[in-house]
Amino acid sequence: MTTILGIETSCDDTAAAVVRDGRVDRSNVVSSQLDLHAQFGGIFPELASRAHVESISAVVNRAMDEADVCYQQLDAIAVTQGPGLIGSLLVGINFAKGLALATDKPLLGVNHLEGHVYSLLLEPNDAKIDFPVVVLIVSGGHSELVLITGHGEYRRLGGTIDDAAGEAFDKVGRTLGLPFPGGPAIERAAQNGDAATYSFPIAKTDSPYDFSFSGLKTAVLRQVTVQPAGHGQRKRRRGAEKRAQLRGDIDIADVAAAFQDAVTEALARATLKAACHYHCSEIFLSGGVSANQMLRHKLREQSRLPVRFPPLALCTDNAAMIAAAAHYRYCAGHRSGLDFEARSSWRLSAETYSE
Ligand code: KG4
Ligand code: ZN
Protein backbone atom coordinates (compact mmCIF):
# COMPACT_ATOMS: atom_id res chain seq x y z
CA MET A 1 0.00 0.00 0.00
CA THR A 2 1.53 3.37 -0.99
CA THR A 3 0.41 6.96 -0.63
CA ILE A 4 2.29 9.27 -2.97
CA LEU A 5 2.10 13.01 -3.52
CA GLY A 6 2.63 13.86 -7.20
CA ILE A 7 3.60 17.28 -8.54
CA GLU A 8 3.43 18.28 -12.21
CA THR A 9 4.57 21.59 -13.72
CA SER A 10 6.06 20.57 -17.08
CA CYS A 11 4.02 22.97 -19.22
CA ASP A 12 1.10 25.28 -18.41
CA ASP A 13 -0.78 23.39 -15.69
CA THR A 14 0.25 23.57 -12.05
CA ALA A 15 -0.93 20.27 -10.62
CA ALA A 16 -0.68 18.21 -7.44
CA ALA A 17 -2.40 14.97 -6.44
CA VAL A 18 -2.31 12.34 -3.75
CA VAL A 19 -2.64 8.81 -5.09
CA ARG A 20 -3.15 5.56 -3.22
CA ASP A 21 -1.53 2.43 -4.71
CA GLY A 22 -1.07 4.05 -8.11
CA ARG A 23 -4.76 3.76 -8.72
CA VAL A 24 -7.13 5.75 -6.65
CA ASP A 25 -6.63 9.48 -6.74
CA ARG A 26 -7.41 10.76 -3.27
CA SER A 27 -7.11 14.27 -4.65
CA ASN A 28 -6.28 15.67 -8.07
CA VAL A 29 -5.87 19.44 -8.24
CA VAL A 30 -5.07 21.19 -11.53
CA SER A 31 -4.64 24.94 -11.79
CA SER A 32 -4.83 25.77 -15.48
CA GLN A 33 -3.07 28.78 -17.02
CA LEU A 34 -5.15 28.65 -20.20
CA ASP A 35 -6.63 32.12 -19.74
CA LEU A 36 -3.15 33.54 -19.33
CA HIS A 37 -1.83 32.05 -22.59
CA ALA A 38 -4.99 32.22 -24.73
CA GLN A 39 -4.24 35.81 -25.77
CA PHE A 40 -0.92 34.62 -27.31
CA GLY A 41 -2.46 31.64 -29.13
CA GLY A 42 0.14 29.34 -27.53
CA ILE A 43 2.15 28.77 -24.37
CA PHE A 44 4.40 31.67 -23.36
CA PRO A 45 7.21 29.91 -21.41
CA GLU A 46 8.28 32.81 -19.19
CA LEU A 47 4.71 33.52 -18.14
CA ALA A 48 4.16 29.81 -17.49
CA SER A 49 7.04 29.51 -15.04
CA ARG A 50 6.04 32.69 -13.21
CA ALA A 51 2.46 31.43 -12.86
CA HIS A 52 3.78 28.10 -11.49
CA VAL A 53 5.79 29.98 -8.87
CA GLU A 54 2.69 31.89 -7.83
CA SER A 55 0.37 28.92 -7.49
CA ILE A 56 2.42 25.84 -6.61
CA SER A 57 2.28 26.23 -2.86
CA ALA A 58 -1.51 26.67 -2.79
CA VAL A 59 -2.05 23.81 -5.26
CA VAL A 60 0.04 21.35 -3.20
CA ASN A 61 -1.64 22.44 0.05
CA ARG A 62 -5.05 21.94 -1.52
CA ALA A 63 -4.15 18.47 -2.79
CA MET A 64 -2.98 17.46 0.70
CA ASP A 65 -6.11 18.95 2.33
CA GLU A 66 -8.53 17.33 -0.10
CA ALA A 67 -6.84 13.96 0.35
CA ASP A 68 -6.97 14.50 4.10
CA VAL A 69 -3.44 13.21 4.65
CA CYS A 70 -0.47 14.74 6.44
CA TYR A 71 3.12 14.60 5.21
CA GLN A 72 4.00 11.87 7.72
CA GLN A 73 1.50 9.57 6.00
CA LEU A 74 3.19 9.88 2.59
CA ASP A 75 5.50 7.14 1.35
CA ALA A 76 7.10 9.37 -1.26
CA ILE A 77 6.96 12.61 -3.18
CA ALA A 78 7.04 12.39 -6.98
CA VAL A 79 7.63 15.19 -9.44
CA THR A 80 7.84 15.51 -13.21
CA GLN A 81 11.54 15.63 -14.11
CA GLY A 82 10.94 16.10 -17.85
CA PRO A 83 10.34 16.46 -20.73
CA GLY A 84 8.85 19.95 -20.75
CA LEU A 85 9.62 23.65 -20.54
CA ILE A 86 12.78 24.02 -18.50
CA GLY A 87 11.63 26.99 -16.39
CA SER A 88 8.31 25.30 -15.63
CA LEU A 89 9.95 21.99 -14.73
CA LEU A 90 12.37 23.72 -12.35
CA VAL A 91 9.56 25.22 -10.30
CA GLY A 92 8.01 21.82 -9.58
CA ILE A 93 11.35 20.07 -9.08
CA ASN A 94 12.73 22.63 -6.65
CA PHE A 95 9.48 22.71 -4.71
CA ALA A 96 9.43 18.91 -4.48
CA LYS A 97 13.08 18.78 -3.42
CA GLY A 98 12.45 21.30 -0.64
CA LEU A 99 9.43 19.34 0.50
CA ALA A 100 11.28 16.02 0.45
CA LEU A 101 14.13 17.52 2.46
CA ALA A 102 11.83 19.14 5.01
CA THR A 103 9.65 16.05 5.49
CA ASP A 104 12.44 13.49 5.11
CA LYS A 105 10.47 11.58 2.47
CA PRO A 106 11.91 9.74 -0.55
CA LEU A 107 11.79 11.69 -3.81
CA LEU A 108 11.17 10.33 -7.32
CA GLY A 109 11.75 12.21 -10.58
CA VAL A 110 9.22 10.91 -13.10
CA ASN A 111 9.16 11.02 -16.89
CA HIS A 112 6.07 12.98 -17.98
CA LEU A 113 5.36 10.55 -20.84
CA GLU A 114 5.45 7.63 -18.43
CA GLY A 115 2.91 9.61 -16.42
CA HIS A 116 0.61 9.73 -19.44
CA VAL A 117 0.92 5.93 -19.71
CA TYR A 118 -0.06 5.46 -16.06
CA SER A 119 -3.01 7.84 -16.39
CA LEU A 120 -4.59 4.75 -17.98
CA LEU A 121 -4.28 2.73 -14.80
CA LEU A 122 -5.69 5.25 -12.35
CA GLU A 123 -9.25 3.99 -12.44
CA PRO A 124 -9.63 1.18 -9.88
CA ASN A 125 -10.73 -1.39 -12.48
CA ASP A 126 -7.98 -0.56 -14.94
CA ALA A 127 -4.86 -1.70 -13.12
CA LYS A 128 -4.30 -5.04 -14.84
CA ILE A 129 -2.26 -5.07 -18.07
CA ASP A 130 -1.76 -7.99 -20.37
CA PHE A 131 1.66 -7.14 -21.87
CA PRO A 132 2.82 -6.37 -24.51
CA VAL A 133 0.79 -3.28 -25.29
CA VAL A 134 1.45 -0.41 -27.64
CA VAL A 135 0.83 3.12 -26.42
CA LEU A 136 0.26 6.21 -28.53
CA ILE A 137 1.05 9.29 -26.45
CA VAL A 138 -0.24 12.36 -28.24
CA SER A 139 -0.23 15.83 -26.74
CA GLY A 140 0.77 19.40 -27.47
CA GLY A 141 4.45 18.59 -27.03
CA HIS A 142 4.68 14.92 -27.96
CA SER A 143 3.57 12.27 -30.42
CA GLU A 144 5.23 9.01 -29.44
CA LEU A 145 4.57 5.39 -30.23
CA VAL A 146 6.01 3.09 -27.58
CA LEU A 147 5.91 -0.67 -27.02
CA ILE A 148 5.48 -1.64 -23.36
CA THR A 149 6.56 -5.16 -22.44
CA GLY A 150 6.25 -4.86 -18.63
CA HIS A 151 5.95 -2.20 -15.95
CA GLY A 152 8.67 0.35 -16.75
CA GLU A 153 9.87 -1.64 -19.79
CA TYR A 154 9.67 0.54 -22.86
CA ARG A 155 10.82 0.38 -26.44
CA ARG A 156 10.31 3.51 -28.50
CA LEU A 157 8.99 2.56 -31.93
CA GLY A 158 8.68 6.03 -33.41
CA GLY A 159 7.18 9.45 -33.10
CA THR A 160 6.80 12.74 -34.84
CA ILE A 161 9.72 14.00 -36.89
CA ASP A 162 8.47 17.61 -36.74
CA ASP A 163 5.31 18.97 -35.08
CA ALA A 164 3.49 17.08 -32.34
CA ALA A 165 -0.12 16.21 -33.19
CA GLY A 166 -1.53 18.62 -30.58
CA GLU A 167 0.80 21.34 -31.81
CA ALA A 168 -0.58 20.84 -35.34
CA PHE A 169 -4.13 21.09 -33.98
CA ASP A 170 -3.18 24.29 -32.14
CA LYS A 171 -1.47 25.88 -35.17
CA VAL A 172 -4.26 25.02 -37.59
CA GLY A 173 -6.79 26.25 -35.02
CA ARG A 174 -4.98 29.57 -35.00
CA THR A 175 -5.00 29.69 -38.81
CA LEU A 176 -8.75 29.11 -38.77
CA GLY A 177 -9.25 31.83 -36.15
CA LEU A 178 -10.41 29.35 -33.52
CA PRO A 179 -9.67 29.79 -29.80
CA PHE A 180 -6.64 28.22 -28.10
CA PRO A 181 -6.14 25.32 -27.58
CA GLY A 182 -6.97 24.34 -31.13
CA GLY A 183 -7.63 20.63 -30.48
CA PRO A 184 -10.99 20.86 -28.72
CA ALA A 185 -11.99 23.86 -30.88
CA ILE A 186 -11.27 21.98 -34.12
CA GLU A 187 -13.11 18.92 -32.83
CA ARG A 188 -16.16 21.07 -32.05
CA ALA A 189 -16.05 22.84 -35.42
CA ALA A 190 -15.59 19.52 -37.26
CA GLN A 191 -18.91 18.21 -35.93
CA ASN A 192 -20.72 20.37 -38.48
CA GLY A 193 -18.26 19.78 -41.31
CA ASP A 194 -17.77 17.35 -44.15
CA ALA A 195 -14.28 15.81 -44.17
CA ALA A 196 -14.64 14.82 -47.84
CA THR A 197 -14.73 18.46 -48.98
CA TYR A 198 -10.94 18.72 -48.80
CA SER A 199 -8.24 16.15 -49.24
CA PHE A 200 -5.19 16.87 -47.09
CA PRO A 201 -2.00 14.81 -47.41
CA ILE A 202 -0.89 12.14 -44.94
CA ALA A 203 2.89 12.37 -44.97
CA LYS A 204 4.95 9.29 -45.74
CA THR A 205 7.90 8.83 -43.40
CA ASP A 206 10.89 6.48 -43.58
CA SER A 207 9.56 4.42 -40.69
CA PRO A 208 5.93 3.24 -40.57
CA TYR A 209 5.91 4.29 -36.90
CA ASP A 210 6.96 7.90 -37.44
CA PHE A 211 4.63 10.82 -38.10
CA SER A 212 5.03 14.17 -39.81
CA PHE A 213 2.45 16.92 -39.48
CA SER A 214 4.24 20.02 -40.72
CA GLY A 215 3.37 19.39 -44.41
CA LEU A 216 -0.26 18.90 -43.47
CA LYS A 217 -0.26 22.15 -41.51
CA THR A 218 1.20 23.98 -44.53
CA ALA A 219 -1.33 22.35 -46.88
CA VAL A 220 -4.17 23.69 -44.72
CA LEU A 221 -2.56 27.13 -44.64
CA ARG A 222 -2.28 27.22 -48.44
CA GLN A 223 -5.80 25.98 -48.92
CA VAL A 224 -7.57 28.40 -46.63
CA THR A 225 -5.63 31.65 -46.78
CA VAL A 226 -5.19 34.42 -49.30
CA GLN A 227 -1.60 34.03 -50.49
CA PRO A 228 0.29 37.31 -50.21
CA ALA A 229 2.50 38.37 -53.14
CA GLY A 230 5.79 36.48 -53.09
CA HIS A 231 4.32 33.83 -50.80
CA GLY A 232 5.84 30.40 -51.19
CA GLN A 233 9.27 31.65 -52.17
CA ARG A 234 11.83 33.55 -50.19
CA LYS A 235 9.36 35.60 -48.22
CA ARG A 236 7.65 32.75 -46.45
CA ARG A 237 8.66 32.81 -42.81
CA ARG A 238 7.87 30.82 -39.71
CA GLY A 239 4.67 31.97 -38.05
CA ALA A 240 3.06 32.91 -41.36
CA GLU A 241 -0.12 31.23 -40.14
CA LYS A 242 -0.49 34.02 -37.58
CA ARG A 243 -0.73 36.78 -40.21
CA ALA A 244 -2.42 34.98 -43.08
CA GLN A 245 -5.87 36.16 -44.04
CA LEU A 246 -8.63 33.57 -44.36
CA ARG A 247 -10.29 33.26 -47.77
CA GLY A 248 -13.91 34.37 -47.75
CA ASP A 249 -15.26 31.20 -49.40
CA ILE A 250 -13.78 28.80 -46.85
CA ASP A 251 -16.09 26.70 -44.70
CA ILE A 252 -14.19 26.38 -41.43
CA ALA A 253 -16.19 23.34 -40.34
CA ASP A 254 -15.25 21.43 -43.51
CA VAL A 255 -11.56 22.34 -43.17
CA ALA A 256 -11.59 21.35 -39.50
CA ALA A 257 -13.23 18.01 -40.32
CA ALA A 258 -10.79 17.24 -43.15
CA PHE A 259 -7.76 18.22 -41.08
CA GLN A 260 -8.92 16.19 -38.08
CA ASP A 261 -9.55 13.26 -40.40
CA ALA A 262 -5.99 13.41 -41.81
CA VAL A 263 -4.27 13.69 -38.40
CA THR A 264 -6.29 10.94 -36.78
CA GLU A 265 -5.85 8.70 -39.82
CA ALA A 266 -2.04 9.04 -39.64
CA LEU A 267 -2.01 8.33 -35.91
CA ALA A 268 -4.42 5.40 -36.11
CA ARG A 269 -2.62 3.76 -39.06
CA ALA A 270 0.78 3.70 -37.37
CA THR A 271 -0.65 2.54 -34.05
CA LEU A 272 -2.64 -0.30 -35.59
CA LYS A 273 0.35 -1.41 -37.63
CA ALA A 274 2.56 -1.49 -34.52
CA ALA A 275 -0.05 -3.36 -32.47
CA CYS A 276 -0.31 -6.00 -35.18
CA HIS A 277 3.43 -6.31 -35.82
CA TYR A 278 4.32 -6.69 -32.14
CA HIS A 279 1.40 -9.00 -31.33
CA CYS A 280 0.02 -6.65 -28.71
CA SER A 281 -2.92 -7.62 -26.57
CA GLU A 282 -4.16 -4.07 -26.15
CA ILE A 283 -3.80 -0.54 -27.52
CA PHE A 284 -3.27 2.34 -25.10
CA LEU A 285 -4.01 5.94 -26.05
CA SER A 286 -3.11 8.88 -23.82
CA GLY A 287 -2.15 12.58 -23.72
CA GLY A 288 -4.28 15.62 -24.50
CA VAL A 289 -5.12 14.57 -28.08
CA SER A 290 -6.48 11.24 -26.77
CA ALA A 291 -9.58 13.25 -25.81
CA ASN A 292 -10.37 13.41 -29.53
CA GLN A 293 -13.45 11.30 -30.26
CA MET A 294 -12.56 10.75 -33.93
CA LEU A 295 -9.19 9.26 -32.94
CA ARG A 296 -10.82 7.02 -30.35
CA HIS A 297 -13.47 5.97 -32.85
CA LYS A 298 -10.96 5.12 -35.59
CA LEU A 299 -8.82 3.00 -33.28
CA ARG A 300 -11.84 1.16 -31.94
CA GLU A 301 -13.41 0.65 -35.35
CA GLN A 302 -10.28 -0.55 -37.09
CA SER A 303 -8.88 -2.85 -34.41
CA ARG A 304 -10.03 -6.15 -32.96
CA LEU A 305 -7.94 -5.36 -29.88
CA PRO A 306 -9.28 -3.56 -26.84
CA VAL A 307 -8.42 0.14 -26.92
CA ARG A 308 -7.89 1.84 -23.57
CA PHE A 309 -7.96 5.60 -23.07
CA PRO A 310 -8.14 7.73 -19.93
CA PRO A 311 -11.29 9.43 -18.72
CA LEU A 312 -11.48 12.89 -20.28
CA ALA A 313 -10.30 14.66 -17.11
CA LEU A 314 -7.09 12.58 -17.08
CA CYS A 315 -6.22 12.99 -20.80
CA THR A 316 -4.59 16.37 -20.30
CA ASP A 317 -1.76 17.09 -17.88
CA ASN A 318 -2.35 16.23 -14.23
CA ALA A 319 -0.33 15.11 -11.23
CA ALA A 320 -2.31 11.96 -10.42
CA MET A 321 -0.64 10.30 -13.42
CA ILE A 322 2.80 11.31 -12.11
CA ALA A 323 2.05 9.82 -8.69
CA ALA A 324 0.63 6.70 -10.36
CA ALA A 325 3.80 6.17 -12.42
CA ALA A 326 5.87 6.80 -9.27
CA HIS A 327 3.97 4.08 -7.41
CA TYR A 328 5.32 1.41 -9.76
CA ARG A 329 8.83 2.84 -9.64
CA TYR A 330 8.70 3.15 -5.84
CA CYS A 331 7.59 -0.49 -5.49
CA ALA A 332 10.49 -1.53 -7.76
CA GLY A 333 12.92 0.23 -5.38
CA HIS A 334 13.57 3.30 -7.51
CA ARG A 335 14.56 6.53 -5.68
CA SER A 336 16.04 9.81 -7.00
CA GLY A 337 18.72 11.75 -5.16
CA LEU A 338 18.12 15.36 -4.23
CA ASP A 339 20.61 16.35 -6.93
CA PHE A 340 18.70 15.25 -10.04
CA GLU A 341 18.30 17.79 -12.82
CA ALA A 342 15.38 18.82 -15.00
CA ARG A 343 15.43 17.24 -18.46
CA SER A 344 13.64 19.34 -21.05
CA SER A 345 14.04 16.57 -23.67
CA TRP A 346 13.61 13.03 -22.40
CA ARG A 347 12.24 10.21 -24.49
CA LEU A 348 10.41 7.20 -23.17
CA SER A 349 12.56 4.24 -24.19
CA ALA A 350 14.58 1.35 -22.77
CA GLU A 351 17.18 3.90 -21.61
CA THR A 352 14.81 6.36 -19.94
CA TYR A 353 15.93 5.72 -16.38
CA SER A 354 19.37 4.29 -17.05
CA GLU A 355 21.07 7.08 -19.00
O1 KG4 B 1 -1.31 16.51 -22.58
P1 KG4 B 1 -1.59 17.97 -22.73
O2 KG4 B 1 -2.54 18.60 -21.74
O3 KG4 B 1 -0.30 18.84 -22.63
C1 KG4 B 1 0.92 18.49 -23.18
O4 KG4 B 1 1.65 17.67 -22.56
O5 KG4 B 1 1.17 19.00 -24.29
O6 KG4 B 1 -2.12 18.19 -24.23
C2 KG4 B 1 -2.56 19.43 -24.72
C3 KG4 B 1 -2.82 19.27 -26.22
C4 KG4 B 1 -3.13 20.59 -26.93
O7 KG4 B 1 -2.32 20.68 -28.08
C5 KG4 B 1 -4.61 20.45 -27.30
O8 KG4 B 1 -4.94 21.15 -28.50
C6 KG4 B 1 -4.74 18.96 -27.48
O9 KG4 B 1 -3.95 18.40 -26.45
N1 KG4 B 1 -6.13 18.51 -27.30
C7 KG4 B 1 -6.88 17.97 -28.29
C8 KG4 B 1 -8.17 17.74 -27.76
N2 KG4 B 1 -8.16 18.13 -26.45
C9 KG4 B 1 -6.91 18.59 -26.19
N3 KG4 B 1 -6.56 17.67 -29.56
C10 KG4 B 1 -7.54 17.14 -30.34
N4 KG4 B 1 -8.80 16.89 -29.91
C11 KG4 B 1 -9.16 17.17 -28.63
N5 KG4 B 1 -10.39 16.94 -28.21
ZN1 ZN C 1 1.35 15.95 -21.25
Side-chain angles (χ1 to χ4, degrees), residues 82-98:
L85 301 171
I86 193 77
S88 292
L89 288 167
L90 283 170
V91 178
I93 290 173
N94 288 332
F95 192 90
K97 284 181 178 178

PDB file of all heavy atoms in Angstrom, residues 82-98:
ATOM      1  N   GLY A  82      10.867  15.716 -16.446  1.00  0.00           N
ATOM      2  CA  GLY A  82      10.940  16.102 -17.848  1.00  0.00           C
ATOM      3  C   GLY A  82      10.132  15.121 -18.666  1.00  0.00           C
ATOM      4  O   GLY A  82       9.596  14.170 -18.088  1.00  0.00           O
ATOM      5  N   PRO A  83       9.962  15.284 -19.951  1.00  0.00           N
ATOM      6  CA  PRO A  83      10.339  16.462 -20.733  1.00  0.00           C
ATOM      7  C   PRO A  83       9.340  17.594 -20.502  1.00  0.00           C
ATOM      8  O   PRO A  83       8.246  17.361 -19.998  1.00  0.00           O
ATOM      9  CB  PRO A  83      10.258  15.940 -22.174  1.00  0.00           C
ATOM     10  CG  PRO A  83       9.224  14.860 -22.132  1.00  0.00           C
ATOM     11  CD  PRO A  83       9.327  14.234 -20.783  1.00  0.00           C
ATOM     12  N   GLY A  84       9.743  18.808 -20.912  1.00  0.00           N
ATOM     13  CA  GLY A  84       8.853  19.953 -20.751  1.00  0.00           C
ATOM     14  C   GLY A  84       9.632  21.249 -20.866  1.00  0.00           C
ATOM     15  O   GLY A  84      10.808  21.261 -21.251  1.00  0.00           O
ATOM     16  N   LEU A  85       8.973  22.332 -20.510  1.00  0.00           N
ATOM     17  CA  LEU A  85       9.624  23.649 -20.538  1.00  0.00           C
ATOM     18  C   LEU A  85      10.549  23.739 -19.332  1.00  0.00           C
ATOM     19  O   LEU A  85      10.120  23.492 -18.203  1.00  0.00           O
ATOM     20  CB  LEU A  85       8.568  24.753 -20.453  1.00  0.00           C
ATOM     21  CG  LEU A  85       7.515  24.775 -21.563  1.00  0.00           C
ATOM     22  CD1 LEU A  85       6.409  25.778 -21.229  1.00  0.00           C
ATOM     23  CD2 LEU A  85       8.181  25.132 -22.886  1.00  0.00           C
ATOM     24  N   ILE A  86      11.787  24.118 -19.572  1.00  0.00           N
ATOM     25  CA  ILE A  86      12.782  24.018 -18.502  1.00  0.00           C
ATOM     26  C   ILE A  86      12.412  24.878 -17.283  1.00  0.00           C
ATOM     27  O   ILE A  86      12.492  24.423 -16.134  1.00  0.00           O
ATOM     28  CB  ILE A  86      14.209  24.329 -19.033  1.00  0.00           C
ATOM     29  CG1 ILE A  86      15.275  23.916 -18.028  1.00  0.00           C
ATOM     30  CG2 ILE A  86      14.388  25.775 -19.430  1.00  0.00           C
ATOM     31  CD1 ILE A  86      15.538  22.463 -17.985  1.00  0.00           C
ATOM     32  N   GLY A  87      11.978  26.108 -17.512  1.00  0.00           N
ATOM     33  CA  GLY A  87      11.627  26.990 -16.394  1.00  0.00           C
ATOM     34  C   GLY A  87      10.456  26.434 -15.600  1.00  0.00           C
ATOM     35  O   GLY A  87      10.430  26.501 -14.363  1.00  0.00           O
ATOM     36  N   SER A  88       9.487  25.879 -16.288  1.00  0.00           N
ATOM     37  CA  SER A  88       8.311  25.298 -15.629  1.00  0.00           C
ATOM     38  C   SER A  88       8.706  24.072 -14.814  1.00  0.00           C
ATOM     39  O   SER A  88       8.293  23.915 -13.664  1.00  0.00           O
ATOM     40  CB  SER A  88       7.263  24.913 -16.673  1.00  0.00           C
ATOM     41  OG  SER A  88       6.736  26.066 -17.282  1.00  0.00           O
ATOM     42  N   LEU A  89       9.503  23.206 -15.432  1.00  0.00           N
ATOM     43  CA  LEU A  89       9.953  21.992 -14.728  1.00  0.00           C
ATOM     44  C   LEU A  89      10.668  22.350 -13.432  1.00  0.00           C
ATOM     45  O   LEU A  89      10.456  21.726 -12.386  1.00  0.00           O
ATOM     46  CB  LEU A  89      10.906  21.182 -15.616  1.00  0.00           C
ATOM     47  CG  LEU A  89      10.290  20.450 -16.810  1.00  0.00           C
ATOM     48  CD1 LEU A  89      11.384  19.963 -17.758  1.00  0.00           C
ATOM     49  CD2 LEU A  89       9.444  19.264 -16.338  1.00  0.00           C
ATOM     50  N   LEU A  90      11.550  23.365 -13.518  1.00  0.00           N
ATOM     51  CA  LEU A  90      12.374  23.716 -12.355  1.00  0.00           C
ATOM     52  C   LEU A  90      11.536  24.155 -11.151  1.00  0.00           C
ATOM     53  O   LEU A  90      11.912  23.877 -10.006  1.00  0.00           O
ATOM     54  CB  LEU A  90      13.369  24.824 -12.725  1.00  0.00           C
ATOM     55  CG  LEU A  90      14.571  24.341 -13.531  1.00  0.00           C
ATOM     56  CD1 LEU A  90      15.372  25.527 -14.063  1.00  0.00           C
ATOM     57  CD2 LEU A  90      15.456  23.424 -12.681  1.00  0.00           C
ATOM     58  N   VAL A  91      10.400  24.785 -11.421  1.00  0.00           N
ATOM     59  CA  VAL A  91       9.560  25.223 -10.300  1.00  0.00           C
ATOM     60  C   VAL A  91       9.065  24.003  -9.518  1.00  0.00           C
ATOM     61  O   VAL A  91       9.191  23.936  -8.290  1.00  0.00           O
ATOM     62  CB  VAL A  91       8.356  26.064 -10.792  1.00  0.00           C
ATOM     63  CG1 VAL A  91       7.472  26.459  -9.619  1.00  0.00           C
ATOM     64  CG2 VAL A  91       8.833  27.303 -11.538  1.00  0.00           C
ATOM     65  N   GLY A  92       8.518  23.025 -10.241  1.00  0.00           N
ATOM     66  CA  GLY A  92       8.009  21.824  -9.576  1.00  0.00           C
ATOM     67  C   GLY A  92       9.122  21.030  -8.904  1.00  0.00           C
ATOM     68  O   GLY A  92       8.980  20.561  -7.770  1.00  0.00           O
ATOM     69  N   ILE A  93      10.240  20.882  -9.612  1.00  0.00           N
ATOM     70  CA  ILE A  93      11.347  20.070  -9.082  1.00  0.00           C
ATOM     71  C   ILE A  93      11.914  20.702  -7.811  1.00  0.00           C
ATOM     72  O   ILE A  93      12.116  20.016  -6.802  1.00  0.00           O
ATOM     73  CB  ILE A  93      12.445  19.900 -10.166  1.00  0.00           C
ATOM     74  CG1 ILE A  93      11.932  18.984 -11.280  1.00  0.00           C
ATOM     75  CG2 ILE A  93      13.725  19.337  -9.554  1.00  0.00           C
ATOM     76  CD1 ILE A  93      12.857  18.867 -12.474  1.00  0.00           C
ATOM     77  N   ASN A  94      12.142  21.994  -7.845  1.00  0.00           N
ATOM     78  CA  ASN A  94      12.730  22.635  -6.653  1.00  0.00           C
ATOM     79  C   ASN A  94      11.759  22.613  -5.475  1.00  0.00           C
ATOM     80  O   ASN A  94      12.166  22.414  -4.329  1.00  0.00           O
ATOM     81  CB  ASN A  94      13.183  24.057  -6.979  1.00  0.00           C
ATOM     82  CG  ASN A  94      14.419  24.027  -7.868  1.00  0.00           C
ATOM     83  OD1 ASN A  94      15.200  23.073  -7.817  1.00  0.00           O
ATOM     84  ND2 ASN A  94      14.582  25.033  -8.701  1.00  0.00           N
ATOM     85  N   PHE A  95      10.485  22.778  -5.781  1.00  0.00           N
ATOM     86  CA  PHE A  95       9.484  22.710  -4.710  1.00  0.00           C
ATOM     87  C   PHE A  95       9.478  21.307  -4.101  1.00  0.00           C
ATOM     88  O   PHE A  95       9.491  21.144  -2.873  1.00  0.00           O
ATOM     89  CB  PHE A  95       8.105  23.063  -5.270  1.00  0.00           C
ATOM     90  CG  PHE A  95       7.074  23.298  -4.208  1.00  0.00           C
ATOM     91  CD1 PHE A  95       6.864  24.577  -3.684  1.00  0.00           C
ATOM     92  CD2 PHE A  95       6.314  22.245  -3.703  1.00  0.00           C
ATOM     93  CE1 PHE A  95       5.913  24.798  -2.696  1.00  0.00           C
ATOM     94  CE2 PHE A  95       5.365  22.461  -2.707  1.00  0.00           C
ATOM     95  CZ  PHE A  95       5.161  23.734  -2.205  1.00  0.00           C
ATOM     96  N   ALA A  96       9.485  20.293  -4.958  1.00  0.00           N
ATOM     97  CA  ALA A  96       9.434  18.908  -4.476  1.00  0.00           C
ATOM     98  C   ALA A  96      10.697  18.561  -3.689  1.00  0.00           C
ATOM     99  O   ALA A  96      10.635  17.866  -2.659  1.00  0.00           O
ATOM    100  CB  ALA A  96       9.271  17.955  -5.664  1.00  0.00           C
ATOM    101  N   LYS A  97      11.828  19.049  -4.143  1.00  0.00           N
ATOM    102  CA  LYS A  97      13.082  18.776  -3.422  1.00  0.00           C
ATOM    103  C   LYS A  97      13.027  19.391  -2.021  1.00  0.00           C
ATOM    104  O   LYS A  97      13.412  18.757  -1.027  1.00  0.00           O
ATOM    105  CB  LYS A  97      14.283  19.346  -4.187  1.00  0.00           C
ATOM    106  CG  LYS A  97      14.681  18.508  -5.393  1.00  0.00           C
ATOM    107  CD  LYS A  97      15.901  19.118  -6.081  1.00  0.00           C
ATOM    108  CE  LYS A  97      16.325  18.265  -7.265  1.00  0.00           C
ATOM    109  NZ  LYS A  97      17.472  18.834  -7.996  1.00  0.00           N
ATOM    110  N   GLY A  98      12.552  20.625  -1.945  1.00  0.00           N
ATOM    111  CA  GLY A  98      12.449  21.298  -0.642  1.00  0.00           C
ATOM    112  C   GLY A  98      11.529  20.536   0.295  1.00  0.00           C
ATOM    113  O   GLY A  98      11.832  20.332   1.472  1.00  0.00           O
TER     114      GLY A  98
END
